[in-house]
Amino acid sequence: MTATTPAPEPDLLYSEEEDALRAAVRALLADRCAPDAVLAGLESGRPHDADLWRELATGIGAAGLLVPEEYGGAGAGPREAAVVLEELGRAVAPVPYLTSAVLAVTALLGCEADRDEVAGPLAALAEGRTLGALAVPLTTGPGAAGPAPVRADAAGRLTGHVTSVAGAAGAGLLLVPAEGPDGPALYAVDAAADGVRIEPVTPLDLTRPLGHLAFDGAAGRPLAQGERARAAVGRALLTGAGLLASEQLGLAEWCLTETVRYTRERTQFGRPVGSFQALKHRMAALWLDVASARAAARNAADALARNAADAPVAVALAQAYCAPVAVRAAEECIQLHGGIGMTWEHPAHLALKRAKSDELALGTPGHHREALAGLVDLAAP
């Protein structure tokens, strides 16, 4: 009888390296991504803050966290990327980290990375020299991708439309799932190539722009075919959904912290409004929700890092729980700030818009609850 090596136990605690990474990212965002700077950027028409992205991607090296060292990355993993996303969620940072450094990178890693057609773009993304976007609608959840709306001929010419692609505006590289002559395939397309049109869309969350993609005979370079292409896209969506929970966690934490701070300072009838029992109860309940969200988000990131067999369960659970918590935290933040919470100048609306957008991104909570029920064989009533 052959002995089997037991699977590593989940570890939800932060390591010293992860704490150091958090401190570096938080310091950068405090210096370069204050709420007034984010608000000003929304009115500039830019798809993202290029200077902030450069500092995050190359100065800290966050763009290459998921990329192995032999391909120009940091050789870290989903746990470290989750820490970055927590901080980006806290700041509602207008940078394409989720779309480029997570979704696009993970899709490329699912291909044969030793091939020049894959290794070259992977290194460019890891070094922050270019931005990538996975050409699927933002609302596509793990396991929900149907037949690709884009078709490819034998020469690799792509034709079709993809709606509401996050990160399309400003991207240099598009990773396009398509139906080729021999079945599903994944192609790399230069965003500036002939036959590619990107139509900007005004989203609810202006810090994460969307775009409709149209391909009219655009030249595509094949990256993967058949089941490998389908698995690469599926893994990208699973990883993106799992790490999105960490962004939602960071956002909810900021909302709770900011609300507690404000209610301690705001006085009414000669006492801080935070001393009223009704508000204490609301904030205590929210604290419990955020603490539970942290456990769910960390479990998803750890399961992805260990490539655990139950990673789909951990991801579905994290998204089903963390998405509503982020929305509830943002709503409480606005309500408990009173009139000032409804103004454009206060950043609470940025948090609510990001939370509502994230609730739809990479699968709704309902989608993930259904997926979770199927994964654990829990029959519907």
Side-chain angles (χ1 to χ4, degrees):
M1 181 175 180
T2 303
T4 58
T5 303
E9 291 293 324
D11 180 9
L12 307 190
L13 300 179
Y14 297 98
S15 67
E16 291 183 5
E17 292 79 7
E18 290 164 358
D19 285 336
L21 176 62
R22 177 192 306 283
V25 175
R26 184 173 295 188
L28 172 64
L29 295 176
D31 182 51
R32 304 291 297 274
C33 194
D36 57 346
V38 176
L39 288 168
L42 298 183
E43 300 173 335
S44 69
R46 298 174 300 176
H48 62 271
D49 188 330
D51 293 334
L52 175 60
W53 171 250
R54 190 178 306 110
E55 290 291 334
L56 181 68
T58 61
I60 294 180
L65 286 176
L66 296 180
V67 180
E69 292 181 0
E70 57 265 35
Y71 302 114
R79 287 175 60 100
E80 291 80 6
V83 169
V84 174
L85 280 164
E86 281 185 39
E87 295 305 311
L88 297 179
R90 285 177 63 92
V92 197
V95 292
Y97 189 82
L98 178 70
T99 52
S100 183
V102 176
L103 290 173
V105 162
T106 306
L108 281 173
L109 288 173
C111 306
E112 295 181 47
D114 292 334
R115 294 172 51 208
D116 291 341
E117 297 87 345
V118 179
L122 198 55
L125 292 179
E127 296 168 8
R129 289 186 280 113
T130 189
L131 292 173
L134 182 62
V136 297
L138 178 61
T139 55
T140 306
V150 177
R151 297 290 182 268
D153 62 19
R157 298 286 176 177
L158 306 183
T159 304
H161 297 79
V162 188
T163 60
S164 302
V165 177
L173 175 68
L174 303 174
L175 303 179
V176 186
E179 287 294 324
D182 300 318
L186 183 64
Y187 291 86
V189 179
D190 293 329
D194 293 337
V196 178
R197 188 174 74 254
I198 302 176
E199 178 187 349
V201 180
T202 302
L204 173 64
D205 176 17
L206 295 174
T207 65
R208 179 166 286 154
L210 305 178
H212 297 329
L213 298 180
F215 301 98
D216 186 10
R221 302 182 296 279
L223 301 174
Q225 304 283 339
E227 185 56 36
R228 179 145 204 169
R230 184 183 290 109
V233 174
R235 184 66 184 183
L237 294 174
L238 181 70
T239 302
L243 297 186
L244 179 63
S246 291
E247 178 178 288
Q248 292 161 334
L249 167 63
L251 189 152
E253 279 194 319
W254 179 87
C255 290
L256 175 59
T257 301
E258 179 63 20
T259 303
V260 171
R261 182 200 63 77
Y262 178 78
T263 55
R264 281 176 173 172
E265 298 175 355
R266 176 74 167 89
T267 60
Q268 193 171 31
F269 307 115
R271 57 187 291 194
V273 296
S275 66
F276 298 141
Q277 190 175 45
L279 300 193
K280 285 182 178 181
H281 287 174
R282 289 171 67 170
M283 286 183 281
L286 185 57
W287 183 89
L288 289 172
D289 288 342
V290 172
S292 298
R294 175 175 296 282
R298 287 299 292 170
N299 183 51
D302 184 69
L304 290 168
R306 293 183 291 109
N307 199 24
D310 63 349
V313 174
V315 169
L317 176 62
Q319 268 304 306
Y321 189 82
C322 293
V325 167
V327 173
R328 187 158 59 251
E331 291 173 342
E332 288 285 76
C333 182
I334 287 180
Q335 286 194 4
L336 297 183
H337 272 77
I340 193 175
M342 298 295 293
T343 64
W344 174 265
E345 290 75 13
H346 195 280
H349 69 92
L350 297 176
L352 179 60
K353 292 169 183 175
R354 173 65 69 87
K356 291 296 290 184
S357 175
D358 281 357
E359 190 178 32
L360 301 177
L362 300 173
T364 64
H367 165 82
H368 289 286
R369 284 193 293 269
E370 291 181 6
L372 180 61
L375 289 167
V376 299
D377 296 324
L378 181 64

